[in-house]
């Protein structure tokens, strides 16, 4: 049975905001790459997300800790 909400893989990424107003932006999968979702996190808030058939990339703006299966990285404030 086809599941329309199938993740692209089963991995999750974790984003923890280190400052207020961190934006987690989801970008569309396919030929058209555009923002489709923006989530604002305040300091200490955590978002747990997957890559799905709708989401091929995630952009993080602001200071945050990002955990993936590849390791841990920090985004910085501009
Ligand atoms: N509706 C989106 C999707 O299923 C929700 C989503 C999944 C999302 N992963 C994300 C939004 C990462 C922002 C960032 O693809």
């Amino acid at each position: 049975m086809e599941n329309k909400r199938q993740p692209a893989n089963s991995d999750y990424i974790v984003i923890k905001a280190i400052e207020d107003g961190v934006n987690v932006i989801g970008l569309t999968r396919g030929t058209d790459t555009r923002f489709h979702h923006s989530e604002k996190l305040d300091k200490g808030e955590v978002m747990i997300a997957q890559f799905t058939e709708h989401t091929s990339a995630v952009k993080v703006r602001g200071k945050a800790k990002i955990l993936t299966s590849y390791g841990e990285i920090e985004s910085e404030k501009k």
Side-chain angles (χ1 to χ4, degrees):
M1 207 211 312
E2 185 165 349
N3 182 349
K4 286 257 194 277
R5 305 196 69 79
Q6 200 78 46
N9 64 59
S10 59
D11 290 347
Y12 286 80
I13 62 168
V14 178
I15 301 121
K16 180 176 181 179
I18 297 173
E19 63 177 5
D20 284 347
V22 168
N23 271 293
V24 178
I25 301 158
L27 291 96
T28 55
R29 188 176 297 282
T31 50
D32 180 28
T33 307
R34 58 182 169 73
F35 291 8
H36 69 75
H37 186 99
S38 180
E39 195 71 39
K40 189 161 267 179
L41 304 182
D42 284 334
K43 186 175 179 173
E45 289 186 326
V46 171
M47 182 164 169
I48 302 158
Q50 283 175 302
F51 292 93
T52 68
E53 67 176 53
H54 303 297
T55 305
S56 66
V58 174
K59 176 173 175 174
V60 178
R61 296 193 74 160
K63 194 169 166 57
K65 185 172 280 189
I66 301 153
L67 281 74
T68 74
S69 58
Y70 299 103
E72 185 182 320
I73 195 164
E74 261 189 35
S75 57
E76 284 155 39
K77 199 187 170 82
K78 198 175 100 178

